[in-house]
Amino acid sequence: MLPSWLTEPLWDQFALLLPARPVYHPDHPLGCHRRRISDRVVFDKVLQLLRFGCSYEAIADTTCSATTFRSRRDEWIRLGVFAEFKRIALECYDRIVGLVLDRIAVDGAITKAPGGGEVTGHSPVDRGKQGLKRSGMTDGYGIPLGRVLAGANRHDSPLLAPTLDLLDDLGPLPDDITVHLDAGYDSDKTRALLAERGLHGRIAHKGEKAPIQASQRWHVERTHAWQNAFQRLARCYERRAVVIDAFFDLADTVITVRSVIRRAWMTHRWDGRPHRRP
């Protein structure tokens, strides 16, 4: 499970995004219906599910049923809580540490999706089994900025445009931005796309062996590894795209807040600060 120095600040902010709810349902004639399951209990269950990747039924217990878990998850998705949670985390990181937006990296990653779903396809690296591809984008340090979901049979290159569109949500951008890409994007179409957007491209060339450290695209590879440490993302059983995006938003928030704490540990003091650098 995630350590308390990380889960407590996550919950403190997440709770502020939730609407106020009465302990008992107001429409009950006697006003004494079964108490509503605490949002904190469900939030902890969501983190456990994200981290360990087990089924809803396996993680359910006397404190929260699988049905309540799913309904509360869907309620939070409808309210846009997970997306707003991630946006606040990025703003916090940018204010305390600073996003490195003059260089970004984009790359695709394929994971298993045994249950199929809206954004799955036959995986070319897993004997045609169902798989999920994400086209992820990070800043120059590796902070996840967003992703586009697609079937595993989609090529990385056509997903570049919708991935770069996510930059519009980040507010003011530097005048000079370099996009680091691997050889899968090595084409005139990609270079034209970057030129239309006023972006510079540093693209690995097909047929030329070069270590990943030759450019700054290794940051996005590391971020994919961070995301795959959450078993719910490494082996996705969710079928709806909005649910998958919600879990990715939560994972990206955890990664961002963890990076804030790690990088601010030497320069800031606060209540609940870890005794040693995480």
Side-chain angles (χ1 to χ4, degrees):
M1 189 55 184
L2 301 176
S4 60
W5 55 260
L6 181 55
T7 57
E8 290 305 321
L10 286 171
W11 166 247
D12 290 342
Q13 181 56 62
F14 193 85
L16 297 176
L17 300 176
L18 302 179
R21 301 287 190 186
V23 176
Y24 298 99
H25 198 289
D27 296 336
H28 194 273
L30 300 179
C32 57
H33 193 58
R34 187 171 56 186
R35 293 172 64 93
R36 174 182 169 87
I37 302 298
S38 168
D39 286 329
R40 177 60 193 268
V41 171
V42 181
F43 179 74
D44 287 341
K45 295 288 186 186
V46 172
L47 289 179
Q48 292 174 33
L49 184 73
L50 176 67
R51 178 65 182 87
F52 301 118
C54 52
S55 67
Y56 291 93
E57 286 71 19
I59 209 168
D61 54 23
T62 56
T63 64
C64 179
S65 68
T67 301
T68 300
F69 193 175
R70 290 190 182 95
S71 63
R72 197 73 59 87
R73 175 206 66 190
D74 292 341
E75 176 188 343
W76 292 345
I77 291 174
R78 287 194 301 271
L79 294 173
V81 175
F82 292 104
E84 181 67 9
F85 196 32
K86 181 195 171 186
R87 186 193 66 79
I88 292 173
L90 278 177
E91 285 188 357
C92 173
Y93 183 93
D94 195 24
R95 184 170 62 252
I96 296 175
V97 180
L99 290 170
V100 184
L101 295 178
D102 58 341
R103 64 178 189 271
I104 61 175
V106 178
D107 196 17
I110 295 176
T111 54
K112 295 177 179 291
E118 297 175 349
V119 285
T120 60
H122 298 292
S123 175
V125 297
D126 193 19
R127 296 171 292 171
K129 296 180 181 179
Q130 290 295 306
L132 171 71
K133 170 169 282 190
R134 64 179 182 267
S135 175
M137 178 171 61
T138 69
D139 80 332
Y141 178 75
I143 300 301
L145 303 177
R147 98 293 310 168
V148 172
L149 302 178
N153 53 343
R154 293 287 303 278
H155 194 272
D156 289 347
S157 184
L159 300 177
L160 179 60
T163 305
L164 293 176
D165 288 341
L166 300 175
L167 288 173
D168 297 337
D169 300 331
L170 299 178
L173 298 172
D175 294 331
D176 191 13
I177 300 177
T178 301
V179 183
H180 296 265
L181 303 166
D182 65 16
Y185 300 90
D186 186 19
S187 68
D188 293 338
K189 185 176 180 180
T190 297
R191 293 182 177 85
L193 173 66
L194 295 175
E196 288 174 6
R197 296 166 181 260
L199 305 174
H200 303 286
R202 186 171 181 187
I203 309 172
H205 296 293
K206 294 178 180 178
E208 294 183 12
K209 244 178 132 178
I212 194 171
Q213 295 86 352
S215 71
Q216 296 298 316
R217 63 184 173 87
W218 66 270
H219 291 103
V220 70
E221 300 286 353
R222 181 181 62 178
T223 301
H224 283 317
W226 286 344
Q227 292 170 331
N228 286 339
F230 298 97
Q231 296 301 312
R232 197 68 183 177
L233 307 181
R235 191 178 183 90
C236 182
Y237 286 93
E238 302 292 349
R239 298 182 60 83
R240 292 189 292 150
V242 292
V243 177
I244 301 173
D245 266 323
F247 278 113
F248 267 108
D249 284 339
L250 182 57
D252 290 351
T253 302
V254 172
I255 291 170
T256 303
V257 173
R258 184 175 59 196
S259 297
V260 169
I261 295 174
R262 178 175 176 78
R263 302 192 71 184
W265 191 86
M266 296 291 292
T267 57
H268 293 71
R269 297 291 183 271
W270 66 90
D271 293 336
R273 175 177 175 268
H275 295 298
R276 57 184 180 179
R277 189 176 184 186

